[in-house]
Amino acid sequence: MSANWQRAGLAASVIASGAFADDLRITQADFLPFDPAKAAIGQLLFYDPILSGNRNISCGTCHNHDLASADGLSLGIGEGGQGIGTKRTAGTGSDRIERRVPRNAPGLWNLGAREVRVLFHDGRISRSDDYGTGFDSPAEEFLPKGLPNLLAVQALFPLTSETEMTGSPEENEIAGRVNDRIDLAWPILAKRVRSIPGYAEMFVRSFKDIETAEEVTIVHIATALSDFINAEWRSHDSAYDAYLRGDGPLSSAAERGRELFFGEAGCAACHSGKFLTDQNFHALALPHFGPGRTRRFDPYVRDVGRMGESDVLEDAYRFRTPSLRNVSLTAPYGHNGAYPTLEGIIRHHLDPLAALEAWKTETAALPKAQWLENVDFIALQDRRERDRLKSRIDIEPRRLKAQDISDLVSFLHALEGTESIKGRLGKPVSVPSGLKVD
């Protein structure tokens, strides 16, 4: 066992004893502040298709209240699809999707925490002064200045993704401008929003730095979305939180699972801290499928994970450790949603190589799209690519009994919130644009 794993195991055993319980309690002070008036604008924008290229999809399509801020699919069906969740289809005719969204739509729980330092599965949003904007992002020096936090930065990029919300360059002006340069679409989207009287009035009333609707920019829109996500999906009222406060014990199975999680099972080596993530990147040899994400010059249909952003070979196939708050509500699991159950993803962690070899394509929750079937699993079928994937594993195999796995699942269910999972503002019935709310 490596020195890092030995240190992690020691820390985990101390946590298991309850010695650090005070340090693991989440309070409101752990979150960035938000403005309720701005959050109310963000709620409407989050569900308004006005922010998409073809005005046919919103943030809420793939991060829906009805699905605990996720979509229930392995790989999302973005622009061109119809419906929500597991009933979403890949579209028909000329409007059908050209590709699946490359990665799983994660839950949005607690993304407004102060400690969050990277976002997206590959960490392509982070704090940095390299570009003079305060952040490192795919927009590099073209990121608008004045964005208040990482969450506001993150909110901008689904709006410029062809598979998620933009559509194809030949379909609309937004996609065409993104194709020219990523930042050129944001002013057009801002103009769309501020031209709607309902939004114009709310922005002028809620933002002190603007006096007229013409002053509304994409920074104000991103700030509103950020405040909504921060306010809406805070969750720290689970059975585990009650246990940490001393308000009652966990169930017997969940307690056994907690002891395993912070002890013998080694989960806390990566899923550490208040939000159960070290925010670092680890390679688990999850099976390849879908279009993936690579470096700009990479011709392969595969997903190289963090290396696609860092361009560092050692980062190949590494992905950000997810927080486990409300994990029981946001199946399927993994950066590409490879496993539909908690038991499945736990078993993969215990023996990644064996799990990769045993994984079946029918395990993936992929809405039917016959025109994509020939490419959906092309990377998985490539022997050399599988060998590369298997050569990059950052966790060591562990042996647990079936009862141990069941107990770990019970503990993960104890991380599920109570009242918080309903959200605070919820899903709006209608939006100022008059477009349909998914």
Side-chain angles (χ1 to χ4, degrees):
M1 181 179 290
S2 69
N4 286 340
W5 274 84
Q6 289 176 334
R7 286 193 294 270
L10 176 61
S13 66
V14 176
I15 293 171
S17 72
F20 294 158
D22 286 348
D23 295 336
L24 296 177
R25 296 176 189 173
I26 299 175
T27 69
Q28 294 298 337
D30 291 309
F31 295 91
L32 296 169
F34 69 90
D35 183 326
K38 295 174 183 176
I41 303 173
Q43 177 213 22
L44 299 173
L45 287 169
F46 191 87
Y47 277 99
D48 199 331
I50 195 67
L51 291 179
S52 64
N54 291 319
R55 297 177 172 87
N56 60 355
I57 188 171
S58 72
C59 307
T61 303
C62 296
H63 297 282
N64 202 282
H65 276 82
D66 296 343
L67 293 151
S69 80
D71 68 356
L73 301 175
S74 293
L75 301 177
I77 298 293
E79 202 283 333
Q82 298 175 354
I84 64 169
T86 56
K87 295 182 179 179
R88 188 163 175 79
T89 67
T92 58
S94 61
D95 291 333
R96 72 185 190 183
I97 66 168
E98 296 181 8
R99 289 190 304 151
R100 301 184 192 277
V101 175
R103 293 178 180 150
N104 176 257
L108 303 180
W109 301 103
N110 299 329
L111 294 185
R114 293 179 185 274
E115 72 172 44
V116 173
R117 62 177 184 271
V118 290
L119 288 172
F120 287 115
H121 291 292
D122 53 19
R124 61 186 181 272
I125 305 293
S126 62
R127 300 188 189 99
S128 171
D129 292 325
D130 289 351
Y131 298 105
T133 63
F135 305 97
D136 187 1
S137 79
E140 299 179 344
E141 70 268 29
F142 301 113
L143 186 74
K145 294 183 179 180
L147 292 161
N149 51 54
L150 279 177
L151 196 48
V153 177
Q154 183 273 338
L156 292 179
F157 290 94
L159 311 184
T160 59
S161 167
E162 180 175 340
T163 58
E164 293 180 57
M165 293 180 68
T166 303
S168 301
E170 65 271 15
E171 292 180 324
N172 62 76
E173 183 184 14
I174 300 298
R177 298 304 279 164
V178 170
N179 196 51
D180 294 334
R181 201 175 73 191
I182 191 170
D183 64 310
L184 299 180
W186 289 320
I188 303 171
L189 288 171
K191 184 176 181 180
R192 274 191 190 178
V193 170
R194 66 175 179 254
S195 297
I196 298 171
Y199 281 128
E201 294 172 7
M202 293 178 74
F203 272 103
V204 172
R205 187 167 61 245
S206 302
F207 284 82
K208 295 180 180 179
D209 64 322
I210 58 177
E211 295 181 357
T212 66
E214 286 70 26
E215 298 174 74
V216 175
T217 70
I218 198 67
V219 171
H220 299 105
I221 290 170
T223 300
L225 288 168
S226 169
D227 274 17
F228 170 66
I229 296 169
N230 179 10
E232 189 72 1
W233 283 297
R234 294 186 181 190
S235 185
H236 48 94
D237 59 351
S238 66
Y240 177 58
D241 293 299
Y243 160 82
L244 290 175
R245 294 191 304 267
D247 291 341
L250 297 171
S251 70
S252 297
E255 174 57 24
R256 292 194 300 269
R258 184 190 70 82
E259 292 174 358
L260 284 163
F261 186 96
F262 291 107
E264 180 184 354
C267 309
C270 302
H271 293 284
S272 56
K274 293 184 177 183
F275 297 97
L276 301 175
T277 170
D278 62 3
Q279 300 188 64
N280 289 324
F281 304 88
H282 306 280
L284 307 180
L286 286 167
H288 278 322
F289 57 90
R293 292 182 67 96
T294 63
R295 292 170 291 181
R296 295 173 185 175
F297 54 83
D298 193 337
Y300 280 83
V301 177
R302 60 177 180 172
D303 200 323
V304 298
R306 178 63 178 164
M307 184 176 74
E309 299 305 316
S310 69
D311 205 25
V312 174
L313 184 60
E314 287 73 19
D315 286 338
Y317 311 121
R318 286 176 168 163
F319 295 88
R320 181 178 181 269
T321 305
S323 169
L324 298 181
R325 294 288 177 159
N326 291 323
V327 67
S328 58
L329 300 174
T330 55
Y333 305 107
H335 71 270
N336 57 2
Y339 288 95
T341 66
L342 289 169
E343 178 180 345
I345 192 67
I346 290 172
R347 288 187 179 277
H348 184 99
H349 279 69
L350 295 177
D351 193 342
L353 286 178
L356 174 61
E357 293 300 326
W359 190 84
K360 304 296 184 184
T361 58
E362 57 266 27
T363 306
L366 299 176
K368 192 171 183 62
Q370 291 179 331
W371 60 96
L372 297 177
E373 290 178 356
N374 290 335
V375 296
D376 274 339
F377 299 102
I378 192 170
L380 185 67
Q381 295 159 358
D382 184 330
R383 177 181 57 80
R384 287 174 295 184
E385 181 60 18
R386 284 204 313 276
D387 287 344
R388 285 189 286 266
L389 186 65
K390 289 188 289 186
S391 72
R392 306 290 302 176
I393 299 177
D394 291 332
I395 58 176
E396 298 179 0
R398 291 175 181 259
R399 300 176 71 90
L400 292 180
K401 299 175 183 178
Q403 183 61 55
D404 294 335
I405 295 171
S406 177
D407 290 340
L408 281 171
V409 170
S410 294
F411 174 63
L412 294 178
H413 276 279
L415 302 175
E416 184 178 311
T418 54
E419 287 300 311
S420 64
I421 65 175
K422 301 174 184 176
R424 288 157 178 78
L425 294 176
K427 184 194 301 187
V429 175
S430 61
V431 290
S433 70
L435 296 169
K436 181 183 177 181
V437 173
D438 281 330

